Amino acid sequence: MSLYLPEQFREERESCLRRARNWLLKAQPRTTEDRTYHLFGLLWTGADASARKNAAKQVLAEQRKDGGWSQLPRLESDAYATGEVLSALHQAAGLATSDPAKANMI
């Protein structure tokens, strides 16, 4: 919305982004995909750095011993989930993709 809604709809755009941000701040993501897009959503809706940092910590807490992430708790780490998480951590939380991702880094 922030990229494609014309300027003439600025008030509507800001209202929608505010409502989405408020919903995201209350949401409880359950899967890796949920947590990843929760973090992206906080970025896209203009949530402050503190909210994104807290969401990033939740994502980092799910990192596996092999350094990756899985799509679901019962599955092993996989490239899709790991890449998605690293992208979200980089874009929304400022974690360099070359850094070893660990919960104490954020």
Side-chain angles (χ1 to χ4, degrees):
M1 289 192 62
S2 61
L3 297 175
Y4 299 107
L5 201 59
E7 188 59 30
Q8 68 195 46
F9 298 106
R10 182 176 187 206
E11 288 181 35
E12 181 179 349
R13 177 182 63 224
E14 295 305 318
S15 175
C16 288
L17 290 171
R18 185 173 41 258
R19 288 193 318 265
R21 183 174 50 249
N22 289 339
W23 182 87
L24 286 165
L25 290 169
K26 296 174 188 173
Q28 297 296 316
R30 295 183 180 164
T31 66
T32 301
E33 183 97 354
D34 291 348
R35 286 183 194 87
T36 300
Y37 277 95
H38 180 252
L39 184 53
F40 274 134
L42 291 170
L43 173 66
W44 296 333
T45 60
D48 64 27
S50 174
R52 294 192 321 266
K53 181 178 178 179
N54 288 335
K57 284 181 180 180
Q58 290 179 1
V59 172
L60 285 166
E62 299 297 319
Q63 187 177 23
R64 300 297 182 86
K65 290 181 181 183
D66 65 6
W69 282 263
S70 67
Q71 294 180 45
L72 297 170
R74 68 181 184 278
L75 301 176
E76 294 184 21
S77 298
D78 63 79
Y80 175 83
T82 300
E84 185 178 53
V85 166
L86 291 175
S87 179
L89 289 170
H90 176 68
Q91 291 180 40
L95 186 67
T97 55
S98 61
D99 286 345
K102 300 203 186 237
N104 61 357
M105 293 184 68
I106 295 216

